[in-house]
Amino acid sequence: MTRVITYGTYDLLHYGHIRLLERAKQLGDYLIVAVTSDDFDKKRGKINVKQSLMERIEAVRNTGLADEIIVEEYEGQKIDDIKRYNIDIFTVGSDWKGKFDYLKEYCDVVYLDRTEGISSSKLRSETTTLKLGIVGNIKLAEKYITESKFVNGLEIVSICTNDIIEFDTENLQKYSYDEYDKFLSNIDAVYVVSNPNEHFNFVDEAIKNKKHVLCETPICLKKDECLLLFKQAKENGVILMESNKTAYSTAFNRLSLLVKTGLIGKIVSVDATCTSMEEYLKTNIEDMPKKQNSMCAWGSVALVPIFQLLGTNYNKIHFSTYYLDKNINFDLFTKVDFNYNNAVASIKVGKGVKSEGELIITGTKGYIYVPSPWWKTDYFEIRYESQNDNKRYFYQLDGEGIRYELVTFLKSVENEKNLSYIEQEISEAITLVIEKFNNKENLDEIFVES
Ligand code: C2G
């Protein structure tokens, strides 16, 4: 009996896939079809898959062509499978010609002609192409323009900014802030990445024009305004999603899940540090107040692990802030301390200081160590008293998590459901902390002698 195996994602199953399976079946007597897992697809850069693994397996099963269906989960699994299932022939479409010649050592390798004119990514783009505009800081916009190219079904079509555009904006339409209404009229959704004190107005206007909104964290500077924006988004039937790239790093997501399984025991403390002096070192002191202060720029990033792991119902909060000087309201460094019923937490953030950008989650059995820069990490360790028990985890992170965030935003719009990795409650809690900071509630000022 000749045993054949073939592999694929089989997203939105189409006649190109079916023709491949039919010809694969004709190569032998028994056909195994390996369907790729979600994680494995993400790792190999296929981030736009629409259907779940189970939906894709069912679609292959319903063709009646597979004698057996397995899941492909890791790089190199094909060699294991060929041995495990006594495979005589490995086959795949000709778009992979040459890529699997290394399997000739284990079985015959046959590349079958790919069916022209059809593909899952083509089908995905045909369903919806969300026209996205970007308003605000042109430097951050550039990253999103690059990352959006990895997302099927979403296209950045315009920029609204008062900044001077120094990079090639190809065929993007350009608007200034005073043309915001016109900018909105030509898009379906907007990514707001302006100075945080302009967020509320940009988001409010977009929602009233029934545009979906992805807004850079913090969504605004007051909790009540945050509540109002989410309420208005619901009333207008649009998505309002917080953009907070850290939440889309797979490593960060997995460490949050592992902590919740009790691997390090009870969490006693969460301590996050984020500093970056890049902007401060190249800006005139008197111009700093025009820039995002440390609390806005970094606080809303550093607060994510605290609120995701300990919740948002802290009992006490205290700020210690190092100001530029008494007359310039710009915090170069802020430490925020939280007391919970059964845990404490702290963040240290600064645009005018340098520290180790690590995240440490302290537990009653062990702790999690995330090295700098933890906010875009692909790696973390679980450490115990006995080093032999330590565990290390690595999860590839492409594009700092931006492409995954854009895929989630697109899926939220398509499903008319906010699938954001940042719960609304956390968005609100972040804006409340910033509001308290701006009101100098429970805040001790530190003035380092100049
Ligand atoms: N295919 C085809 N014609 C198309 C589209 C796809 O013959 N128009 C073939 C592909 O060559 C592949 C199979 O159908 O053999 C499944 O295609 P995909 O779901 O796109 O998965 P792909 O990433 O190509 O899978 O490790 C091998 C890969 O997993 C192959």
Side-chain angles (χ1 to χ4, degrees), residues 65-89:
L65 292 163
D67 296 294
E68 188 176 351
I69 296 176
I70 62 173
V71 178
E72 182 180 31
E73 299 182 89
Y74 57 90
E75 203 64 50
Q77 181 180 322
K78 294 178 175 73
I79 298 172
D80 280 346
D81 293 343
I82 288 165
K83 292 178 189 166
R84 186 182 301 143
Y85 296 101
N86 299 316
I87 297 297
D88 303 297
I89 300 171

Side-chain angles (χ1 to χ4, degrees), residues 312-317 337-343 436 442:
T312 57
N313 297 321
Y314 48 85
N315 302 326
K316 276 195 279 182
I317 182 171
D337 291 294
F338 296 88
N339 283 66
Y340 285 78
N341 283 342
N342 41 28
K436 289 175 181 285
N442 304 330

Side-chain angles (χ1 to χ4, degrees), residues 59-116:
V60 170
R61 189 191 315 285
N62 292 339
T63 65
L65 292 163
D67 296 294
E68 188 176 351
I69 296 176
I70 62 173
V71 178
E72 182 180 31
E73 299 182 89
Y74 57 90
E75 203 64 50
Q77 181 180 322
K78 294 178 175 73
I79 298 172
D80 280 346
D81 293 343
I82 288 165
K83 292 178 189 166
R84 186 182 301 143
Y85 296 101
N86 299 316
I87 297 297
D88 303 297
I89 300 171
F90 164 89
T91 186
V92 75
S94 54
D95 44 321
W96 293 90
K97 196 163 184 58
K99 294 278 187 329
F100 297 108
D101 289 355
Y102 67 87
L103 295 175
K104 287 178 177 169
E105 188 181 335
Y106 308 98
C107 66
D108 292 341
V109 174
V110 175
Y111 296 102
L112 297 168
D113 288 346
R114 179 187 171 86
T115 304
E116 292 315 318

Side-chain angles (χ1 to χ4, degrees), residues 6-11 14 16-17 20 23 36 44 46 72 78 92-96 100 113-115 118-120:
T6 189
Y7 292 74
T9 303
Y10 296 103
D11 190 33
H14 53 67
H17 295 138
L20 185 287
R23 288 172 291 152
T36 45
R44 67 191 188 119
K46 285 189 104 170
E72 182 180 31
K78 294 178 175 73
V92 75
S94 54
D95 44 321
W96 293 90
F100 297 108
D113 288 346
R114 179 187 171 86
T115 304
I118 180 84
S119 71
S120 308

